[in-house]
Amino acid sequence: MVSSIPEITLNDGLHLPVVGLGTYLLKGNAGVNSILTAIDAGYRLIDSAYNYENEGTIGEAVRRSSVPRQELFITSKLPGRYQEYDKAVTTIQESLYRANLDYYDLYLIHWPNPRVDTYIEAWQALIDAKKWGLIRSIGVCNFLPEHIDRLVNETGVKPSVNQIELHPFFNQEEARKWHQENNIAIESWSPLTRGIRDIHVDSIQEIANRHNKTIPQIVLRWHYQLGAVSIPKSASPERQLENISIFDFELDQTEMSIISGLTHPDGRINNQDPAVYEEF
């Protein structure tokens, strides 16, 4: 097991590890075993979603793990089709039943779906679920600043986290500045661009060689130094350990700039622009 993963403090006072485990496609007994190896390696943040259809897998891993529940930080997400208030409340309860958990540490609205325009109702459901003790911290995914401003203006409650697409080819510089100014933590989804081969570029390889690290380690260190929480997904015990072995070196400013300089305006992986993209 590696040394403990550093944490950041959210705007509601909770502590969030700076690297977590993405669990998309980790299901069934194989998924449970993959999550258990990650927990044994030192992961404490486990990221799931209602639409991943693996909340039961997450809960089973929590029950089988020797790590106490209160030391784990379990996340799930509300799908777009259940954003109406009553449906959202029921879905949060169903998420807990699926995982057989008493509470989620973090629960997020998966996408704003602005054309449907029910994310304010969904946010109020998360606010109430937190009051009822079903959720410890509430946040969003893929929300643009105007969406978050509206949440705050209409409910008075600010998200603790916004999970957004962030990787070297889409570095979200302006969004990162806005979130820092507004004290909202950023989590990076697809921090390694959903495929290690995609980020095998010569400039990152040169940096990796210089530090005697792998390309994924360099990119995850870049996320860490940007102040973003990353949630790389891996079922491999070796890769899981590799992904959190990033705290024994530091990238200099030139190296950070080289990686950030790979960004481009159309760098989204699947062109999922939150201003128009809809998820159900």
Side-chain angles (χ1 to χ4, degrees):
M1 178 175 168
V2 299
S3 58
S4 60
I5 297 172
E7 298 177 332
I8 61 170
T9 302
L10 301 178
N11 60 27
D12 56 14
L14 268 65
H15 300 288
L16 182 71
V18 298
V19 180
L21 180 72
T23 66
Y24 180 62
L25 299 180
L26 296 183
K27 297 182 180 183
N29 197 59
V32 171
N33 289 335
S34 295
I35 295 164
L36 286 173
T37 62
I39 293 173
D40 289 343
Y43 288 81
R44 295 296 178 264
L45 169 60
I46 310 296
D47 181 84
S48 181
Y50 192 97
N51 272 351
Y52 297 173
E53 298 182 340
N54 68 351
E55 291 168 315
T57 295
I58 307 301
E60 182 63 21
V62 170
R63 285 187 293 281
R64 291 190 197 178
S65 174
S66 60
V67 174
R69 167 68 184 94
Q70 63 269 24
E71 295 182 16
L72 299 172
F73 203 98
I74 310 299
T75 303
S76 196
K77 309 179 189 80
L78 178 76
R81 63 189 178 278
Y82 297 137
Q83 284 190 2
E84 295 173 23
Y85 179 85
D86 289 341
K87 291 180 180 179
V89 169
T90 299
T91 302
I92 293 166
Q93 295 166 343
E94 180 65 23
S95 278
L96 289 169
Y97 296 156
R98 289 181 176 195
N100 195 18
L101 295 175
D102 293 330
Y103 64 92
Y104 278 105
D105 298 277
L106 178 64
Y107 206 83
L108 311 173
I109 301 175
H110 210 153
W111 285 86
N113 289 12
R115 184 185 66 82
V116 180
D117 195 23
T118 50
Y119 64 84
I120 298 295
E121 289 185 54
W123 187 239
Q124 188 60 57
L126 265 64
I127 292 170
D128 290 344
K130 181 180 179 182
K131 291 177 182 176
W132 301 330
L134 303 181
I135 306 168
R136 297 179 67 217
S137 189
I138 57 175
V140 295
C141 298
N142 305 299
F143 273 48
L144 299 174
E146 55 263 36
H147 302 143
I148 296 177
D149 281 340
R150 188 174 168 209
L151 290 182
V152 176
N153 289 338
E154 295 195 25
T155 71
V157 179
K158 180 186 294 187
S160 64
V161 168
N162 189 10
Q163 188 180 117
I164 61 175
E165 180 176 358
L166 199 166
H167 47 75
F169 303 130
F170 197 67
N171 73 30
Q172 296 268 36
E173 182 177 4
E174 291 303 314
R176 287 188 284 107
K177 290 179 181 177
W178 186 90
H179 284 77
Q180 184 177 23
E181 291 170 356
N182 286 274
N183 192 24
I184 298 171
I186 282 179
E187 287 186 336
S188 308
W189 61 258
S190 291
L192 300 175
T193 70
R194 287 185 183 163
I196 301 306
R197 286 172 294 183
D198 295 342
I199 55 173
H200 267 95
V201 295
D202 290 343
S203 56
I204 303 181
Q205 185 65 67
E206 291 174 4
I207 296 171
N209 293 342
R210 194 176 305 133
H211 290 278
N212 194 29
K213 294 289 183 179
T214 65
I215 284 178
Q217 287 174 317
I218 295 300
V219 174
L220 292 173
R221 179 72 196 192
W222 172 80
H223 283 275
Y224 173 57
Q225 290 184 214
L226 288 180
V229 173
S230 57
I231 44 173
K233 179 216 146 188
S234 178
S236 160
E238 294 77 19
R239 183 62 56 75
Q240 289 172 352
L241 184 58
E242 175 186 315
N243 286 345
I244 55 174
S245 299
I246 61 169
F247 304 110
D248 58 350
F249 73 103
E250 186 172 355
L251 301 173
D252 64 30
Q253 190 54 54
T254 298
E255 293 167 330
M256 290 289 292
S257 296
I258 288 171
I259 300 170
S260 295
L262 296 171
T263 195
H264 43 93
D266 58 349
R268 295 186 187 275
I269 296 169
N270 289 321
N271 196 31
Q272 294 172 315
D273 182 352
V276 294
Y277 180 77
E278 296 180 2
E279 176 262 8
F280 296 97

